Amino acid sequence: MKEIKILSGTNCQNCELLYQVVSEIVKRKGIDAKVEKVVDIQEVLKYGVMTTPVLVVDGEVKHVGTPIPAPQKIEELIGG
Amino acid sequence: MFEIYERFADLVVYNLLGLQKGMHLAEALHFFVYDTLKIFTLLTVIIFVVSFIRSFFPLEKTREILSKHKAVALPLAAFLGILTPFCSCSAVPMFIGFVEAGIPLGAAFTFLVASPMVNEVALGLLLTLFGVKVAVLYVIFGVIVAIVAGYVIEKLNPRELIADYVFQVKLGQTQIKEMTFKERLEFAKNNVKEILGKIWIYIIIAIGIGGFIHGYVPQDIVERVAKTAGLIAVPLAVLIGIPLYSNAAGILPVIQALIAKGVPLGTALAFMMATTALSFPEFMILKQIMKPKLIAFFAGIVGISIIAVGYLFNFIFTL
């Protein structure tokens, strides 16, 4: 099972959007994955990034910052 | 450069609609058609170019550059603040990241001011509506305000007003990939789409209001109001600007029409700087890491600097 994390800032609209798009793709494609949103700042900083949102798949940073990629691109990044 | 749009507006208003030159409605419509075309063309180009340049300066790289040049941290932070794309929701990680890298606190504040203050949409609109001189002065004054704010806060020695955990967090290994040229173009294109997608409706409405003012509001009334408001106009503009965060796009075309009717330019500029540099959402985010007192200092210093710039601008442009 894949572990997908969306690292988010507080009060960050794009982070919320990315989380929803990823969740929807996982559901629609039936990908075997756990999608989790991480808002805890100390947890976020462990990945060495300061720009949100961050897409992490199985511990690997796949995308950082805005604009968030198109859904097809996100699908590719998740590897569904 | 925009003669073709001028001709197009002439064609639509005078030939297609058959309106007479000098009529209120004709003047208003002509302003609307011409300005809409001009503003959207320039915004597209400017957001694209600025985004492309910005793709070279992610926040993580900015941190690295600043940590290597601590002696000139303040001016460098102001300069990089302009080039680094930055969402106020990243303010907390940015702060911690900078502190961890040993970058002076003042520089972190300078960055925090410069990044939103000098933004591509505002720059594009200023260039479109008021010309190169105003746009350049906007950048220069933006940098000065950011440096002053950082310097004063550094002197206040705000260490004890910042949450302890900021100084304890350890950042993980940075794993940001370099973009290819094609990815940068893609990034810039997506930015244009995203930003214009967000603001186009505000701009259209604002141009509509601007067109109305242009065509229907008599010049002497505006001049009289501007004169009566006089000195309080600048601080007032800053106060009104704070809750209107990030809607500079929806205000500038209105202001342009007002300026054409006699409102001083510095007042307008102070207003716009306040909309982008001071915002309640950002204060709420900063509350996670700093005491309200420090946020108040921060807002106060930036606010006062912007008011000073407003007066200075009014002074320069009435000489």
Side-chain angles (χ1 to χ4, degrees), chain B residues 4-23 25-27 29-30 33:
Chain B
I4 187 155
Y5 292 159
E6 185 91 56
R7 286 218 202 114
F8 179 78
D10 284 347
L11 185 78
V12 171
V13 176
Y14 305 127
N15 298 10
L16 235 55
L17 296 172
L19 295 167
Q20 290 297 315
K21 233 183 180 130
M23 276 169 67
L25 182 62
E27 291 293 311
L29 272 179
H30 192 275
V33 173

Side-chain angles (χ1 to χ4, degrees), chain A residues 4 8 32 34 43 51 61 71 78:
Chain A
I4 301 174
S8 305
D32 182 26
K34 192 177 111 203
E43 189 66 26
T51 326
V61 175
I78 304 174

Side-chain angles (χ1 to χ4, degrees), chain A residues 9-12 14-15 41-42 45-52 59-62 64 66-68 73, chain B residues 59-60 63 89-90 92-94 96-97 165 169 171-176 187 190-191 194 281 285 288:
Chain A
T10 324
N11 202 355
C12 166
N14 285 308
C15 304
I41 187 71
Q42 315 223 6
L45 286 166
K46 274 188 194 149
Y47 291 88
V49 290
M50 294 180 279
T51 326
T52 53
E60 196 189 331
V61 175
K62 292 286 190 181
V64 174
T66 51
I68 64 174
K73 176 79 181 165
Chain B
L59 197 45
E60 290 71 16
R63 169 176 175 263
C89 52
S90 293
V92 172
M94 178 280 280
I96 297 173
Y165 81 88
V169 178
L171 236 69
Q173 200 62 42
T174 309
Q175 10 169 305
I176 302 255
F187 172 80
N190 286 338
N191 252 330
E194 195 194 294
I285 288 165
Q288 289 176 79

